[in-house]
Amino acid sequence: MKDELRKKALSIRKNLPVEQYSSIIMHKLFSLPEYSKSKNILSYYPLKSEVNTLKCFEDKTKNWYLPRVINETLEFCPYESSNLKKGSFNIFEPCSSKIDDFSNIDMIIIPAVAADKNGYRLGYGKGFYDRFLYSLKSSPVKVILIFHDLLFETIYPEKHDIKGDIIITNKEIFRIIC
Ligand code: ADP
Ligand code: MG
């Protein structure tokens, strides 16, 4: 079921006006009270057809962190524009040292292939974010960015899938209660 949905979502995504929708989504993110309150934020470097997050790194009032894939896990490192190189999956990754202490991270901005209104997200099928979020001892606000066209009734969540707290699309903001 998930595999079918992933394929469907990826084919829909190819035809979306990514830049236009991303700009709306990023404005919604910047307007959140949770965003104003956050100082240390884990984000991601976008693939061409993912929600484009690059605008966030211009907000110099925050400390930004980016993921890199090492074996089967995600590591997060401070964002430095001059210190990025293409890593696994051809995504730009930071070269700086990873952080081990996540206790002061206020928010995590999570990419998705699809999501549902219950707060569940579908990734690329490798469970990177599920494993990372499961391993976290702290509880930053989990924000999922997704195009409205990729919001489904259900993504057929499994036991290991971890919900987001807030879902932002180009049409709406959902706050997930438990
Ligand atoms: P995605 O979230 O990328 O869409 P899935 O939710 O299908 O992918 O997860 C892919 C695989 O990742 C699962 O089949 C599972 O084996 C593994 N996985 C997810 N979370 C955990 C976890 N907390 N511990 C161990 N394995 C996990
Ligand atoms: Mg999952």
Side-chain angles (χ1 to χ4, degrees):
M1 286 302 231
K2 274 184 169 178
D3 274 346
E4 293 291 302
L5 199 59
R6 224 174 249 121
K7 276 191 208 138
K8 186 176 169 188
L10 289 171
S11 80
I12 294 173
R13 196 165 86 170
K14 281 194 294 205
N15 298 312
L16 296 178
V18 168
E19 295 310 320
Q20 183 197 336
Y21 287 177
S22 295
S23 164
I24 298 169
I25 291 172
M26 294 312 283
H27 276 99
K28 289 194 197 296
L29 169 71
F30 299 146
S31 72
L32 290 179
E34 288 88 347
Y35 179 83
S36 306
K37 281 185 224 145
S38 294
K39 178 74 184 164
N40 300 302
I41 307 181
L42 309 183
S43 186
Y44 67 91
Y45 197 100
L47 285 173
K48 207 171 66 160
S49 57
E50 284 179 339
V51 175
N52 184 342
T53 49
L54 294 180
K55 197 94 193 137
C56 69
F57 306 114
E58 292 173 19
D59 183 349
K60 305 293 184 206
T61 68
K62 318 285 187 196
N63 299 318
W64 293 100
Y65 300 86
L66 280 179
R68 76 173 159 227
V69 174
I70 300 290
N71 302 322
E72 292 297 293
T73 63
L74 290 182
E75 290 183 354
F76 283 85
C77 314
Y79 169 83
E80 292 164 21
S81 58
S82 59
N83 208 359
L84 296 169
K85 74 166 197 309
K86 281 206 171 168
S88 319
F89 310 109
N90 225 14
I91 303 173
F92 275 105
E93 295 185 340
C95 308
S96 43
S97 309
K98 72 178 169 94
I99 54 167
D100 291 312
D101 180 7
F102 292 90
S103 58
N104 64 351
I105 300 297
D106 305 297
M107 176 177 279
I108 173 165
I109 297 170
I110 307 172
V113 171
D116 68 29
K117 292 171 191 164
N118 298 317
Y120 287 109
R121 76 176 267 286
L122 195 66
Y124 290 98
K126 296 216 156 42
F128 283 118
Y129 276 91
D130 289 322
R131 281 195 302 278
F132 173 71
L133 294 171
Y134 180 76
S135 74
L136 264 188
K137 288 169 194 76
S138 54
S139 13
V141 181
K142 301 183 287 296
V143 181
I144 295 172
L145 307 183
I146 191 75
F147 300 120
H148 173 82
D149 304 69
L150 304 176
L151 195 63
F152 294 94
E153 208 46 57
T154 177
I155 61 101
Y156 309 104
E158 298 167 90
K159 274 210 190 81
H160 62 259
D161 284 313
I162 295 185
K163 283 186 193 185
D165 300 306
I166 300 176
I167 294 192
I168 306 179
T169 85
N170 42 301
K171 290 209 177 150
E172 65 261 289
I173 298 176
F174 290 104
R175 283 164 189 284
I176 311 301
I177 319 287
C178 294

